PDB file of all heavy atoms in Angstrom:
ATOM      1  N   ALA A   1       0.802  -1.219   0.000  1.00 76.00           N
ATOM      2  CA  ALA A   1       0.000   0.000   0.000  1.00 76.00           C
ATOM      3  C   ALA A   1       0.839   1.275   0.000  1.00 76.00           C
ATOM      4  O   ALA A   1       0.527   2.223  -0.744  1.00 76.00           O
ATOM      5  CB  ALA A   1      -0.967  -0.009   1.186  1.00 76.00           C
ATOM      6  N   PRO A   2       1.915   1.390   0.817  1.00 85.00           N
ATOM      7  CA  PRO A   2       2.702   2.631   0.785  1.00 85.00           C
ATOM      8  C   PRO A   2       3.294   2.934  -0.590  1.00 85.00           C
ATOM      9  O   PRO A   2       3.274   4.085  -1.036  1.00 85.00           O
ATOM     10  CB  PRO A   2       3.804   2.371   1.818  1.00 85.00           C
ATOM     11  CG  PRO A   2       3.210   1.386   2.759  1.00 85.00           C
ATOM     12  CD  PRO A   2       2.380   0.484   1.895  1.00 85.00           C
ATOM     13  N   THR A   3       3.808   1.912  -1.261  1.00 85.00           N
ATOM     14  CA  THR A   3       4.374   2.121  -2.597  1.00 85.00           C
ATOM     15  C   THR A   3       3.294   2.532  -3.585  1.00 85.00           C
ATOM     16  O   THR A   3       3.489   3.459  -4.394  1.00 85.00           O
ATOM     17  CB  THR A   3       5.068   0.837  -3.090  1.00 85.00           C
ATOM     18  OG1 THR A   3       6.157   0.536  -2.212  1.00 85.00           O
ATOM     19  CG2 THR A   3       5.592   1.001  -4.508  1.00 85.00           C
ATOM     20  N   ALA A   4       2.140   1.851  -3.545  1.00 80.00           N
ATOM     21  CA  ALA A   4       1.035   2.182  -4.449  1.00 80.00           C
ATOM     22  C   ALA A   4       0.550   3.608  -4.215  1.00 80.00           C
ATOM     23  O   ALA A   4       0.276   4.356  -5.162  1.00 80.00           O
ATOM     24  CB  ALA A   4      -0.108   1.191  -4.270  1.00 80.00           C
ATOM     25  N   ALA A   5       0.434   3.994  -2.931  1.00 78.00           N
ATOM     26  CA  ALA A   5      -0.038   5.339  -2.607  1.00 78.00           C
ATOM     27  C   ALA A   5       0.966   6.397  -3.044  1.00 78.00           C
ATOM     28  O   ALA A   5       0.592   7.448  -3.594  1.00 78.00           O
ATOM     29  CB  ALA A   5      -0.302   5.449  -1.105  1.00 78.00           C
ATOM     30  N   ALA A   6       2.248   6.148  -2.822  1.00 83.00           N
ATOM     31  CA  ALA A   6       3.283   7.100  -3.241  1.00 83.00           C
ATOM     32  C   ALA A   6       3.275   7.267  -4.760  1.00 83.00           C
ATOM     33  O   ALA A   6       3.391   8.387  -5.281  1.00 83.00           O
ATOM     34  CB  ALA A   6       4.655   6.621  -2.771  1.00 83.00           C
ATOM     35  N   HIS A   7       3.146   6.155  -5.466  1.00 82.00           N
ATOM     36  CA  HIS A   7       3.074   6.203  -6.933  1.00 82.00           C
ATOM     37  C   HIS A   7       1.877   7.030  -7.379  1.00 82.00           C
ATOM     38  O   HIS A   7       1.987   7.859  -8.293  1.00 82.00           O
ATOM     39  CB  HIS A   7       2.980   4.782  -7.485  1.00 82.00           C
ATOM     40  CG  HIS A   7       2.796   4.718  -8.972  1.00 82.00           C
ATOM     41  ND1 HIS A   7       3.770   5.101  -9.862  1.00 82.00           N
ATOM     42  CD2 HIS A   7       1.724   4.325  -9.724  1.00 82.00           C
ATOM     43  CE1 HIS A   7       3.330   4.936 -11.093  1.00 82.00           C
ATOM     44  NE2 HIS A   7       2.093   4.480 -11.036  1.00 82.00           N
ATOM     45  N   GLN A   8       0.732   6.839  -6.724  1.00 74.00           N
ATOM     46  CA  GLN A   8      -0.480   7.562  -7.099  1.00 74.00           C
ATOM     47  C   GLN A   8      -0.315   9.066  -6.883  1.00 74.00           C
ATOM     48  O   GLN A   8      -0.733   9.872  -7.729  1.00 74.00           O
ATOM     49  CB  GLN A   8      -1.674   7.046  -6.276  1.00 74.00           C
ATOM     50  CG  GLN A   8      -2.996   7.743  -6.558  1.00 74.00           C
ATOM     51  CD  GLN A   8      -3.522   7.497  -7.959  1.00 74.00           C
ATOM     52  OE1 GLN A   8      -2.974   6.657  -8.701  1.00 74.00           O
ATOM     53  NE2 GLN A   8      -4.563   8.201  -8.344  1.00 74.00           N
ATOM     54  N   ILE A   9       0.298   9.464  -5.790  1.00 81.00           N
ATOM     55  CA  ILE A   9       0.498  10.895  -5.507  1.00 81.00           C
ATOM     56  C   ILE A   9       1.335  11.547  -6.609  1.00 81.00           C
ATOM     57  O   ILE A   9       0.962  12.576  -7.183  1.00 81.00           O
ATOM     58  CB  ILE A   9       1.174  11.080  -4.133  1.00 81.00           C
ATOM     59  CG1 ILE A   9       0.183  10.759  -3.008  1.00 81.00           C
ATOM     60  CG2 ILE A   9       1.708  12.507  -3.976  1.00 81.00           C
ATOM     61  CD1 ILE A   9       0.832  10.678  -1.643  1.00 81.00           C
ATOM     62  N   VAL A  10       2.475  10.943  -6.903  1.00 85.00           N
ATOM     63  CA  VAL A  10       3.375  11.548  -7.896  1.00 85.00           C
ATOM     64  C   VAL A  10       2.760  11.474  -9.293  1.00 85.00           C
ATOM     65  O   VAL A  10       2.891  12.407 -10.096  1.00 85.00           O
ATOM     66  CB  VAL A  10       4.754  10.870  -7.855  1.00 85.00           C
ATOM     67  CG1 VAL A  10       5.711  11.554  -8.827  1.00 85.00           C
ATOM     68  CG2 VAL A  10       5.339  10.920  -6.449  1.00 85.00           C
ATOM     69  N   LEU A  11       2.056  10.388  -9.580  1.00 81.00           N
ATOM     70  CA  LEU A  11       1.424  10.247 -10.895  1.00 81.00           C
ATOM     71  C   LEU A  11       0.335  11.291 -11.105  1.00 81.00           C
ATOM     72  O   LEU A  11       0.164  11.827 -12.215  1.00 81.00           O
ATOM     73  CB  LEU A  11       0.847   8.841 -11.053  1.00 81.00           C
ATOM     74  CG  LEU A  11       0.406   8.456 -12.470  1.00 81.00           C
ATOM     75  CD1 LEU A  11       1.602   8.447 -13.421  1.00 81.00           C
ATOM     76  CD2 LEU A  11      -0.261   7.083 -12.464  1.00 81.00           C
ATOM     77  N   GLN A  12      -0.438  11.619 -10.052  1.00 74.00           N
ATOM     78  CA  GLN A  12      -1.471  12.644 -10.188  1.00 74.00           C
ATOM     79  C   GLN A  12      -0.855  14.016 -10.422  1.00 74.00           C
ATOM     80  O   GLN A  12      -1.411  14.838 -11.163  1.00 74.00           O
ATOM     81  CB  GLN A  12      -2.361  12.656  -8.944  1.00 74.00           C
ATOM     82  CG  GLN A  12      -3.291  11.460  -8.844  1.00 74.00           C
ATOM     83  CD  GLN A  12      -4.106  11.239 -10.110  1.00 74.00           C
ATOM     84  OE1 GLN A  12      -4.804  12.136 -10.568  1.00 74.00           O
ATOM     85  NE2 GLN A  12      -4.002  10.056 -10.686  1.00 74.00           N
ATOM     86  N   LEU A  13       0.290  14.282  -9.806  1.00 83.00           N
ATOM     87  CA  LEU A  13       0.990  15.535 -10.082  1.00 83.00           C
ATOM     88  C   LEU A  13       1.526  15.557 -11.515  1.00 83.00           C
ATOM     89  O   LEU A  13       1.525  16.597 -12.176  1.00 83.00           O
ATOM     90  CB  LEU A  13       2.129  15.731  -9.076  1.00 83.00           C
ATOM     91  CG  LEU A  13       1.671  16.085  -7.659  1.00 83.00           C
ATOM     92  CD1 LEU A  13       2.835  15.996  -6.684  1.00 83.00           C
ATOM     93  CD2 LEU A  13       1.058  17.480  -7.617  1.00 83.00           C
ATOM     94  N   TRP A  14       1.969  14.392 -11.990  1.00 86.00           N
ATOM     95  CA  TRP A  14       2.385  14.278 -13.398  1.00 86.00           C
ATOM     96  C   TRP A  14       1.204  14.603 -14.312  1.00 86.00           C
ATOM     97  O   TRP A  14       1.357  15.327 -15.301  1.00 86.00           O
ATOM     98  CB  TRP A  14       2.892  12.866 -13.663  1.00 86.00           C
ATOM     99  CG  TRP A  14       3.276  12.596 -15.093  1.00 86.00           C
ATOM    100  CD1 TRP A  14       2.464  12.127 -16.086  1.00 86.00           C
ATOM    101  CD2 TRP A  14       4.559  12.785 -15.694  1.00 86.00           C
ATOM    102  NE1 TRP A  14       3.165  12.013 -17.259  1.00 86.00           N
ATOM    103  CE2 TRP A  14       4.451  12.408 -17.045  1.00 86.00           C
ATOM    104  CE3 TRP A  14       5.781  13.220 -15.208  1.00 86.00           C
ATOM    105  CZ2 TRP A  14       5.530  12.471 -17.926  1.00 86.00           C
ATOM    106  CZ3 TRP A  14       6.855  13.281 -16.092  1.00 86.00           C
ATOM    107  CH2 TRP A  14       6.732  12.908 -17.426  1.00 86.00           C
ATOM    108  N   ALA A  15       0.023  14.090 -13.977  1.00 79.00           N
ATOM    109  CA  ALA A  15      -1.171  14.367 -14.775  1.00 79.00           C
ATOM    110  C   ALA A  15      -1.505  15.857 -14.754  1.00 79.00           C
ATOM    111  O   ALA A  15      -1.926  16.429 -15.772  1.00 79.00           O
ATOM    112  CB  ALA A  15      -2.349  13.557 -14.250  1.00 79.00           C
ATOM    113  N   PHE A  16      -1.301  16.499 -13.603  1.00 79.00           N
ATOM    114  CA  PHE A  16      -1.583  17.934 -13.500  1.00 79.00           C
ATOM    115  C   PHE A  16      -0.656  18.745 -14.411  1.00 79.00           C
ATOM    116  O   PHE A  16      -1.109  19.595 -15.181  1.00 79.00           O
ATOM    117  CB  PHE A  16      -1.418  18.396 -12.049  1.00 79.00           C
ATOM    118  CG  PHE A  16      -1.341  19.901 -11.911  1.00 79.00           C
ATOM    119  CD1 PHE A  16      -2.486  20.672 -12.017  1.00 79.00           C
ATOM    120  CD2 PHE A  16      -0.122  20.534 -11.718  1.00 79.00           C
ATOM    121  CE1 PHE A  16      -2.416  22.058 -11.923  1.00 79.00           C
ATOM    122  CE2 PHE A  16      -0.041  21.917 -11.617  1.00 79.00           C
ATOM    123  CZ  PHE A  16      -1.202  22.678 -11.714  1.00 79.00           C
ATOM    124  N   GLN A  17       0.647  18.495 -14.328  1.00 82.00           N
ATOM    125  CA  GLN A  17       1.547  19.281 -15.169  1.00 82.00           C
ATOM    126  C   GLN A  17       1.332  18.968 -16.644  1.00 82.00           C
ATOM    127  O   GLN A  17       1.558  19.825 -17.507  1.00 82.00           O
ATOM    128  CB  GLN A  17       3.013  19.065 -14.754  1.00 82.00           C
ATOM    129  CG  GLN A  17       3.535  17.639 -14.831  1.00 82.00           C
ATOM    130  CD  GLN A  17       4.046  17.242 -16.190  1.00 82.00           C
ATOM    131  OE1 GLN A  17       4.473  18.105 -16.935  1.00 82.00           O
ATOM    132  NE2 GLN A  17       4.017  15.970 -16.507  1.00 82.00           N
ATOM    133  N   ALA A  18       0.852  17.753 -16.933  1.00 84.00           N
ATOM    134  CA  ALA A  18       0.555  17.403 -18.326  1.00 84.00           C
ATOM    135  C   ALA A  18      -0.546  18.290 -18.889  1.00 84.00           C
ATOM    136  O   ALA A  18      -0.562  18.580 -20.095  1.00 84.00           O
ATOM    137  CB  ALA A  18       0.163  15.936 -18.430  1.00 84.00           C
ATOM    138  N   LEU A  19      -1.491  18.730 -18.030  1.00 80.00           N
ATOM    139  CA  LEU A  19      -2.555  19.620 -18.492  1.00 80.00           C
ATOM    140  C   LEU A  19      -1.978  20.930 -19.016  1.00 80.00           C
ATOM    141  O   LEU A  19      -2.373  21.424 -20.077  1.00 80.00           O
ATOM    142  CB  LEU A  19      -3.536  19.917 -17.352  1.00 80.00           C
ATOM    143  CG  LEU A  19      -4.418  18.773 -16.870  1.00 80.00           C
ATOM    144  CD1 LEU A  19      -5.249  19.225 -15.676  1.00 80.00           C
ATOM    145  CD2 LEU A  19      -5.332  18.302 -17.991  1.00 80.00           C
ATOM    146  N   VAL A  20      -1.034  21.510 -18.279  1.00 81.00           N
ATOM    147  CA  VAL A  20      -0.426  22.768 -18.703  1.00 81.00           C
ATOM    148  C   VAL A  20       0.350  22.573 -20.002  1.00 81.00           C
ATOM    149  O   VAL A  20       0.241  23.366 -20.945  1.00 81.00           O
ATOM    150  CB  VAL A  20       0.495  23.324 -17.610  1.00 81.00           C
ATOM    151  CG1 VAL A  20       1.107  24.648 -18.056  1.00 81.00           C
ATOM    152  CG2 VAL A  20      -0.275  23.514 -16.305  1.00 81.00           C
ATOM    153  N   LEU A  21       1.126  21.503 -20.063  1.00 85.00           N
ATOM    154  CA  LEU A  21       1.922  21.245 -21.258  1.00 85.00           C
ATOM    155  C   LEU A  21       1.031  20.883 -22.448  1.00 85.00           C
ATOM    156  O   LEU A  21       1.359  21.206 -23.597  1.00 85.00           O
ATOM    157  CB  LEU A  21       2.939  20.146 -20.975  1.00 85.00           C
ATOM    158  CG  LEU A  21       3.965  20.482 -19.883  1.00 85.00           C
ATOM    159  CD1 LEU A  21       4.854  19.281 -19.594  1.00 85.00           C
ATOM    160  CD2 LEU A  21       4.800  21.694 -20.256  1.00 85.00           C
ATOM    161  N   ASP A  22      -0.091  20.230 -22.194  1.00 85.00           N
ATOM    162  CA  ASP A  22      -1.043  19.934 -23.267  1.00 85.00           C
ATOM    163  C   ASP A  22      -1.651  21.212 -23.839  1.00 85.00           C
ATOM    164  O   ASP A  22      -1.970  21.282 -25.029  1.00 85.00           O
ATOM    165  CB  ASP A  22      -2.163  19.018 -22.757  1.00 85.00           C
ATOM    166  CG  ASP A  22      -1.859  17.551 -23.017  1.00 85.00           C
ATOM    167  OD1 ASP A  22      -0.944  17.263 -23.813  1.00 85.00           O
ATOM    168  OD2 ASP A  22      -2.535  16.692 -22.437  1.00 85.00           O
ATOM    169  N   ALA A  23      -1.841  22.219 -22.979  1.00 86.00           N
ATOM    170  CA  ALA A  23      -2.366  23.493 -23.470  1.00 86.00           C
ATOM    171  C   ALA A  23      -1.403  24.114 -24.484  1.00 86.00           C
ATOM    172  O   ALA A  23      -1.822  24.669 -25.507  1.00 86.00           O
ATOM    173  CB  ALA A  23      -2.617  24.450 -22.308  1.00 86.00           C
ATOM    174  N   VAL A  24      -0.100  24.021 -24.213  1.00 86.00           N
ATOM    175  CA  VAL A  24       0.905  24.503 -25.167  1.00 86.00           C
ATOM    176  C   VAL A  24       0.855  23.668 -26.446  1.00 86.00           C
ATOM    177  O   VAL A  24       0.960  24.194 -27.562  1.00 86.00           O
ATOM    178  CB  VAL A  24       2.313  24.453 -24.548  1.00 86.00           C
ATOM    179  CG1 VAL A  24       3.381  24.827 -25.569  1.00 86.00           C
ATOM    180  CG2 VAL A  24       2.393  25.381 -23.336  1.00 86.00           C
ATOM    181  N   ALA A  25       0.672  22.337 -26.294  1.00 87.00           N
ATOM    182  CA  ALA A  25       0.590  21.453 -27.459  1.00 87.00           C
ATOM    183  C   ALA A  25      -0.617  21.791 -28.329  1.00 87.00           C
ATOM    184  O   ALA A  25      -0.548  21.729 -29.556  1.00 87.00           O
ATOM    185  CB  ALA A  25       0.522  19.994 -27.000  1.00 87.00           C
ATOM    186  N   ILE A  26      -1.739  22.156 -27.694  1.00 88.00           N
ATOM    187  CA  ILE A  26      -2.933  22.533 -28.452  1.00 88.00           C
ATOM    188  C   ILE A  26      -2.667  23.802 -29.258  1.00 88.00           C
ATOM    189  O   ILE A  26      -3.058  23.912 -30.428  1.00 88.00           O
ATOM    190  CB  ILE A  26      -4.129  22.714 -27.495  1.00 88.00           C
ATOM    191  CG1 ILE A  26      -4.636  21.342 -27.042  1.00 88.00           C
ATOM    192  CG2 ILE A  26      -5.259  23.505 -28.159  1.00 88.00           C
ATOM    193  CD1 ILE A  26      -5.618  21.401 -25.898  1.00 88.00           C
ATOM    194  N   ALA A  27      -1.999  24.782 -28.628  1.00 87.00           N
ATOM    195  CA  ALA A  27      -1.632  25.994 -29.359  1.00 87.00           C
ATOM    196  C   ALA A  27      -0.719  25.649 -30.535  1.00 87.00           C
ATOM    197  O   ALA A  27      -0.882  26.185 -31.647  1.00 87.00           O
ATOM    198  CB  ALA A  27      -0.945  26.976 -28.416  1.00 87.00           C
ATOM    199  N   ALA A  28       0.239  24.744 -30.312  1.00 88.00           N
ATOM    200  CA  ALA A  28       1.149  24.332 -31.386  1.00 88.00           C
ATOM    201  C   ALA A  28       0.388  23.679 -32.529  1.00 88.00           C
ATOM    202  O   ALA A  28       0.669  23.945 -33.709  1.00 88.00           O
ATOM    203  CB  ALA A  28       2.201  23.372 -30.837  1.00 88.00           C
ATOM    204  N   GLN A  29      -0.569  22.815 -32.196  1.00 88.00           N
ATOM    205  CA  GLN A  29      -1.389  22.182 -33.227  1.00 88.00           C
ATOM    206  C   GLN A  29      -2.033  23.208 -34.142  1.00 88.00           C
ATOM    207  O   GLN A  29      -1.965  23.121 -35.367  1.00 88.00           O
ATOM    208  CB  GLN A  29      -2.511  21.371 -32.570  1.00 88.00           C
ATOM    209  CG  GLN A  29      -2.203  19.926 -32.316  1.00 88.00           C
ATOM    210  CD  GLN A  29      -3.485  19.209 -31.950  1.00 88.00           C
ATOM    211  OE1 GLN A  29      -3.912  19.240 -30.805  1.00 88.00           O
ATOM    212  NE2 GLN A  29      -4.097  18.575 -32.912  1.00 88.00           N
ATOM    213  N   SER A  30      -2.707  24.159 -33.522  1.00 88.00           N
ATOM    214  CA  SER A  30      -3.452  25.148 -34.290  1.00 88.00           C
ATOM    215  C   SER A  30      -2.535  26.024 -35.129  1.00 88.00           C
ATOM    216  O   SER A  30      -2.794  26.269 -36.315  1.00 88.00           O
ATOM    217  CB  SER A  30      -4.275  26.010 -33.317  1.00 88.00           C
ATOM    218  OG  SER A  30      -5.060  26.935 -34.022  1.00 88.00           O
ATOM    219  N   LEU A  31      -1.433  26.479 -34.542  1.00 88.00           N
ATOM    220  CA  LEU A  31      -0.521  27.386 -35.251  1.00 88.00           C
ATOM    221  C   LEU A  31       0.223  26.684 -36.382  1.00 88.00           C
ATOM    222  O   LEU A  31       0.383  27.236 -37.473  1.00 88.00           O
ATOM    223  CB  LEU A  31       0.468  27.991 -34.259  1.00 88.00           C
ATOM    224  CG  LEU A  31      -0.143  28.964 -33.232  1.00 88.00           C
ATOM    225  CD1 LEU A  31       0.842  29.238 -32.108  1.00 88.00           C
ATOM    226  CD2 LEU A  31      -0.568  30.259 -33.907  1.00 88.00           C
ATOM    227  N   VAL A  32       0.687  25.454 -36.124  1.00 89.00           N
ATOM    228  CA  VAL A  32       1.418  24.715 -37.156  1.00 89.00           C
ATOM    229  C   VAL A  32       0.481  24.315 -38.297  1.00 89.00           C
ATOM    230  O   VAL A  32       0.825  24.433 -39.478  1.00 89.00           O
ATOM    231  CB  VAL A  32       2.111  23.475 -36.553  1.00 89.00           C
ATOM    232  CG1 VAL A  32       2.602  22.535 -37.646  1.00 89.00           C
ATOM    233  CG2 VAL A  32       3.278  23.906 -35.682  1.00 89.00           C
ATOM    234  N   GLY A  33      -0.719  23.835 -37.940  1.00 87.00           N
ATOM    235  CA  GLY A  33      -1.680  23.483 -38.987  1.00 87.00           C
ATOM    236  C   GLY A  33      -2.012  24.660 -39.875  1.00 87.00           C
ATOM    237  O   GLY A  33      -2.040  24.546 -41.111  1.00 87.00           O
ATOM    238  N   ALA A  34      -2.235  25.826 -39.255  1.00 87.00           N
ATOM    239  CA  ALA A  34      -2.554  27.025 -40.033  1.00 87.00           C
ATOM    240  C   ALA A  34      -1.374  27.451 -40.900  1.00 87.00           C
ATOM    241  O   ALA A  34      -1.552  27.864 -42.050  1.00 87.00           O
ATOM    242  CB  ALA A  34      -2.963  28.156 -39.093  1.00 87.00           C
ATOM    243  N   ALA A  35      -0.159  27.341 -40.353  1.00 87.00           N
ATOM    244  CA  ALA A  35       1.033  27.714 -41.127  1.00 87.00           C
ATOM    245  C   ALA A  35       1.190  26.830 -42.352  1.00 87.00           C
ATOM    246  O   ALA A  35       1.475  27.315 -43.453  1.00 87.00           O
ATOM    247  CB  ALA A  35       2.277  27.623 -40.247  1.00 87.00           C
ATOM    248  N   LEU A  36       0.993  25.528 -42.187  1.00 88.00           N
ATOM    249  CA  LEU A  36       1.162  24.602 -43.317  1.00 88.00           C
ATOM    250  C   LEU A  36       0.049  24.745 -44.351  1.00 88.00           C
ATOM    251  O   LEU A  36       0.247  24.454 -45.523  1.00 88.00           O
ATOM    252  CB  LEU A  36       1.212  23.160 -42.803  1.00 88.00           C
ATOM    253  CG  LEU A  36       2.494  22.766 -42.067  1.00 88.00           C
ATOM    254  CD1 LEU A  36       2.355  21.373 -41.456  1.00 88.00           C
ATOM    255  CD2 LEU A  36       3.691  22.810 -43.004  1.00 88.00           C
ATOM    256  N   GLY A  37      -1.114  25.177 -43.905  1.00 86.00           N
ATOM    257  CA  GLY A  37      -2.228  25.327 -44.835  1.00 86.00           C
ATOM    258  C   GLY A  37      -2.191  26.603 -45.638  1.00 86.00           C
ATOM    259  O   GLY A  37      -2.917  26.735 -46.625  1.00 86.00           O
ATOM    260  N   ALA A  38      -1.365  27.570 -45.237  1.00 80.00           N
ATOM    261  CA  ALA A  38      -1.324  28.866 -45.913  1.00 80.00           C
ATOM    262  C   ALA A  38      -0.906  28.705 -47.374  1.00 80.00           C
ATOM    263  O   ALA A  38       0.036  27.972 -47.673  1.00 80.00           O
ATOM    264  CB  ALA A  38      -0.357  29.803 -45.195  1.00 80.00           C
ATOM    265  N   PRO A  39      -1.604  29.374 -48.295  1.00 77.00           N
ATOM    266  CA  PRO A  39      -1.359  29.175 -49.726  1.00 77.00           C
ATOM    267  C   PRO A  39      -0.193  30.019 -50.246  1.00 77.00           C
ATOM    268  O   PRO A  39      -0.371  30.895 -51.092  1.00 77.00           O
ATOM    269  CB  PRO A  39      -2.685  29.615 -50.355  1.00 77.00           C
ATOM    270  CG  PRO A  39      -3.189  30.674 -49.423  1.00 77.00           C
ATOM    271  CD  PRO A  39      -2.741  30.282 -48.050  1.00 77.00           C
TER     272      PRO A  39
END
């Protein structure tokens, strides 16, 4: 249980920071797609 609980704590923090980094990835998606589509 202690190992499982410790893993869960750190993993949830990993999930939290992934949200912020995913927001940057979403911006990258939109900007890169628009750049490549420009005629």
Side-chain angles (χ1 to χ4, degrees):
T3 297
H7 176 68
Q8 179 66 9
I9 288 170
V10 183
L11 192 63
Q12 288 308 305
L13 288 169
W14 177 270
F16 165 76
Q17 60 85 27
L19 291 176
V20 181
L21 298 175
D22 266 346
V24 175
I26 285 168
Q29 267 192 277
S30 183
L31 292 166
V32 167
L36 288 173

